[in-house]
């Protein structure tokens, strides 16, 4: 562990300074006093250039009414926090008469710990015909305004650092933090890390940056940094709780989980899957003798013998007969209910679901799904379209999409481990090929055809009813060996809410 004076207690920092070696993004401005130095841009750039070069005397000359301890404040902060480098990137200057503001970004390098990114604003004004910097503590960091304070706090931290499969850190605000915390608890010994905290004038405490132990051992997970980043950013701006789970189809390894549901809902939450469950119903029907080209009916309403009627969303119907793939593409409820009543009454739906991980504990993280044996025709009617007793996690439905792509369902994992024979369950011959045909048609001409999904995408939309609430929105699918599930809790229609998120996710890869 690195030596850091007074860190056993708390380092209280009254002001922030940037010391160290820098490369300013813009060219260094002219020397103060030259004719061109009259502009606010040149003054601001000269100040930032001097700051990054630790030329505090020049900084002081560019400041209007610099405090008498200006130099010592900067030096003390750099010394106490072991700041050894600084990079400044100016933004776009805004000028209003005799005043101007230049927002800027900075990165301070803390010795032995890492980088600390910050943002602030340089304010300027005309004083006696020259532009001068109006320096204040918040120039150095916004947390210092009105007497705010900064300090390091030593905290227990895992003796290991979980990184992505390429050995680099996870992207910021990735949505996978809770899952990594669980893995840390499983595999990491505890050492000391550091948190840089800020206390505002009103007493509020904010964590600015966390540094893991300097000698933490890096352990690779199965996560892909670019896929994790794409998943996290695809959820930015979504106004409902949502999640994306991505799986490598031929291994079951988790490539990404961006979870805005809370409580590890992407892996442990049970939700009705709605029409995405028709992937499993279709698998059962294919096992029972149908093919993707089999002719079927799609009436607006269907009433099972001795049962309650079921209708399609919006009362839509397909005249005459269509293929099973066509019914799947438009998500025809009546087709799948009628065919399930005719062909799966002996328990074929439950058997098919169990091939996809339902009703069993999974070895890896989280839970999969549940389905109960149907008690009567009405239970089977609703189960066949992903309602009634059927619930699943987004992880479970991503694994289902992966099984279609690969032809076998596989146990999920977030850490690489030796494969065992029971980790893989092969789908019946011909089932995966038929499902691939059907899922491609969903994107080419069905409910997901208007979303501009990247070429090669196959999937299934789902809209799941929830008593007294807005419906859940789903979209599951695959592209290449990347399988995924997008879930928006109470998000409405799968085609309208979940598919556009999937399109943003896939286009970012």
């Amino acid at each position: 562990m690195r030596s850091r004076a007074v860190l056993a207690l708390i380092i209280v920092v009254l002001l922030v300074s940037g010391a160290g070696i820098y490369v300013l993004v813009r060219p260094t401005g002219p020397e103060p006093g030259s004719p061109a130095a009259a502009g606010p841009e040149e003054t601001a750039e000269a100040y930032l250039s001097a700051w990054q070069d630790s030329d505090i005397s020049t900084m002081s000359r560019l400041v209007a009414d610099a405090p008498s301890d200006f130099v010592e404040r900067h030096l003390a902060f750099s010394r106490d926090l072991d700041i050894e480098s600084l990079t400044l990137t100016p933004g776009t200057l805004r000028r209003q008469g005799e005043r101007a503001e230049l927002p800027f970004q900075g990165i301070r390098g803390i010795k032995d710990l890492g980088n600390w990114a910050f943002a602030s604003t340089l304010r300027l004004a005309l004083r006696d015909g020259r532009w001068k910097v109006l320096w204040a503590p918040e120039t150095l960091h916004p947390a210092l305004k009105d007497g705010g304070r900064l300090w390091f706090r030593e905290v227990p931290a895992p003796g290991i650092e979980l990184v992505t499969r390429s050995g680099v850190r996870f992207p910021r605000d990735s949505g996978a933090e809770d899952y990594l915390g669980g893995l840390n608890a499983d595999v990491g010994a505890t050492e000391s890390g550091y948190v840089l905290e800020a206390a505002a004038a009103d007493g509020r405490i904010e964590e600015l940056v966390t540094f893991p132990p300097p000698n933490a051992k890096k352990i690779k997970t199965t996560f892909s940094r670019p896929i994790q980043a794409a998943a996290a950013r695809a959820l930015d701006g979504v106004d409902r709780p949502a999640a994306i789970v991505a799986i490598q189809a031929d291994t079951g390894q988790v490539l990404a989980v961006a979870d805005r549901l809370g409580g590890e809902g992407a892996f442990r939450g049970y939700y009705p899957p709605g029409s995405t469950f028709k992937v499993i119903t279709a698998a059962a029907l294919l096992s029972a003798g149908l093919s993707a080209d089999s002719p079927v009916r799609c009436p607006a309403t269907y009433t099972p013998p001795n049962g309650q009627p079921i209708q399609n969303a919006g009362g839509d119907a397909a005249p005459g007969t269509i293929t099973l793939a066509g019914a799947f593409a438009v998500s025809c409820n009546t087709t799948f209910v009628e065919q399930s009543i005719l062909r799966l009454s002996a328990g074929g739906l439950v058997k098919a679901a169990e091939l996809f991980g339902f009703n069993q504990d999974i070895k890896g993280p989280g839970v999969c799904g549940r389905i109960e044996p149907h008690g009567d025709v009405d239970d089977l009617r609703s189960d066949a379209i992903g309602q009634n007793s059927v619930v699943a996690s987004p992880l479970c439905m991503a694994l289902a999409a992966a099984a279609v792509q690969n032809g076998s369902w596989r146990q999920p994992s977030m850490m690489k481990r030796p494969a065992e024979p029971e980790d893989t369950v092969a789908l019946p011959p011909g089932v995966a090929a038929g499902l691939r045909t059907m899922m491609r048609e969903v994107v080419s001409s069905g409910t997901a055809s208007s979303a501009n999904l990247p070429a090669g995408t196959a999937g299934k939309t789902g809209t799941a009813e929830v008593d007294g609430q807005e419906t859940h929105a789903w979209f599951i699918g695959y592209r290449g060996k990347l399988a995924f599930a997008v879930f928006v809790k109470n998000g409405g229609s799968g085609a309208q809410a979940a598919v556009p998120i999937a399109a943003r996710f896939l286009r970012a890869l």
Side-chain angles (χ1 to χ4, degrees):
M1 184 58 63
R2 61 186 258 127
S3 171
R4 187 179 294 276
V6 200
L7 267 180
L9 302 174
I10 292 177
I11 294 178
V12 178
V13 181
L14 299 178
L15 286 177
V16 181
S17 147
I21 301 171
Y22 268 98
V23 177
L24 188 63
V25 171
R26 293 182 180 174
T28 301
E31 291 293 326
S34 68
E41 297 92 343
E42 291 80 9
T43 301
E45 290 186 2
Y47 183 88
L48 294 181
S49 180
W51 186 3
Q52 70 179 9
D53 290 336
S54 302
D55 186 357
I56 303 177
S57 61
T58 296
M59 294 165 61
S60 180
R61 290 196 299 270
L62 292 170
V63 171
D65 303 319
S68 59
D69 59 350
F70 179 85
V71 173
E72 177 54 30
R73 286 180 173 183
H74 284 72
L75 294 176
F77 177 77
S78 298
R79 180 177 61 248
D80 291 342
L81 290 188
D82 282 350
I83 296 173
E84 61 181 3
S85 66
L86 176 66
T87 301
L88 298 174
T89 304
T92 301
L93 186 133
R94 301 183 294 265
R95 177 174 176 176
Q96 290 185 338
E98 295 186 351
R99 288 183 175 268
E101 291 185 350
L102 178 71
F104 63 91
Q105 304 285 330
I107 299 176
R108 292 183 169 100
I110 309 298
K111 185 178 180 181
D112 295 338
L113 292 184
N115 290 333
W116 166 31
F118 69 101
S120 191
T121 300
L122 200 65
R123 293 177 172 83
L124 304 99
L126 273 174
R127 292 288 189 270
D128 299 326
R130 290 185 177 277
W131 284 95
K132 293 283 188 175
V133 173
L134 302 180
W135 186 88
E138 56 264 34
T139 305
L140 302 168
H141 194 282
L144 299 175
K145 185 177 182 180
D146 299 328
R149 299 175 298 136
L150 298 175
W151 64 78
F152 269 114
R153 178 167 58 89
E154 188 172 355
V155 294
I160 60 95
E161 181 185 3
L162 294 174
V163 294
T164 59
R165 59 173 51 196
S166 60
V168 299
R169 289 181 173 178
F170 280 74
R172 189 176 181 86
D173 191 26
S174 70
E177 292 83 0
D178 288 346
Y179 300 84
L180 299 179
L183 286 177
N184 267 325
D186 292 339
V187 301
T190 299
E191 294 190 14
S192 291
Y194 299 97
V195 175
L196 182 60
E197 294 183 326
D202 61 5
R204 290 180 295 107
I205 304 296
E206 177 186 4
E207 293 186 0
L208 300 180
V209 62
T210 300
F211 297 103
N215 59 346
K217 179 182 177 181
K218 290 186 177 182
I219 295 181
K220 293 181 180 181
T221 64
T222 64
F223 287 73
S224 161
R225 193 185 195 284
I227 297 175
Q228 181 65 49
R233 302 292 71 83
L235 294 184
D236 288 347
V238 177
D239 61 0
R240 298 293 178 94
I244 297 176
V245 178
I247 301 291
Q248 185 167 323
D250 59 345
T251 63
Q253 293 177 353
V254 177
L255 298 175
V257 52
D259 188 343
R260 306 285 186 246
L261 299 169
E264 297 185 32
F267 279 17
R268 300 189 179 278
Y270 282 120
Y271 309 95
S275 289
T276 59
F277 189 74
K278 286 174 183 168
V279 169
I280 293 166
T281 305
L285 294 174
L286 292 171
S287 296
L290 292 182
S291 70
D293 295 328
S294 294
V296 293
R297 299 188 326 127
C298 179
T301 302
Y302 169 71
T303 303
N306 303 314
Q308 298 296 314
I310 186 76
Q311 66 178 20
N312 293 322
D316 295 332
T321 60
I322 59 174
T323 64
L324 183 65
F328 185 89
V330 298
S331 203
C332 183
N333 288 337
T334 57
T335 296
F336 282 86
V337 170
E338 181 177 29
Q339 294 301 319
S340 295
I341 299 297
L342 291 174
R343 301 174 187 274
L344 305 178
S345 59
L349 185 60
V350 173
K351 292 177 183 177
E354 290 176 346
L355 292 176
F356 287 85
F358 281 68
N359 294 348
Q360 59 180 286
D361 293 331
I362 56 178
K363 290 183 179 180
V367 298
C368 194
R370 297 195 303 253
I371 180 174
E372 299 176 4
H374 57 273
D376 56 31
V377 71
D378 287 331
D379 284 342
L380 178 56
R381 174 203 63 178
S382 296
D383 286 344
I385 56 174
Q387 301 284 167
N388 191 39
S389 75
V390 181
V391 289
S393 66
L395 168 65
C396 190
M397 298 312 296
L399 292 171
V404 174
Q405 194 282 333
N406 181 254
S408 294
W409 185 90
R410 298 175 184 274
Q411 292 280 355
S413 63
M414 293 193 292
M415 303 288 291
K416 292 184 178 180
R417 57 179 176 80
E420 299 178 354
E422 61 270 23
D423 290 350
T424 302
V425 179
L427 301 184
V431 168
L435 292 173
R436 291 182 203 122
T437 297
M438 297 163 76
M439 292 177 73
R440 287 194 295 267
E441 197 159 330
V442 170
V443 175
S444 64
S445 61
T447 54
S449 60
S450 62
N452 193 30
L453 289 159
T457 305
K460 181 68 187 80
T461 57
T463 304
E465 296 180 358
V466 186
D467 289 343
Q469 301 178 49
E470 185 70 40
T471 54
H472 295 327
W474 289 84
F475 184 58
I476 68 172
Y478 61 86
R479 183 171 183 255
K481 294 185 182 297
L482 172 69
F484 62 86
V486 176
F487 173 71
V488 185
K489 186 177 181 181
N490 305 124
S493 160
Q496 295 178 359
V499 175
I501 295 173
R504 289 201 299 273
F505 167 56
L506 295 173
R507 286 198 297 266
L509 299 176

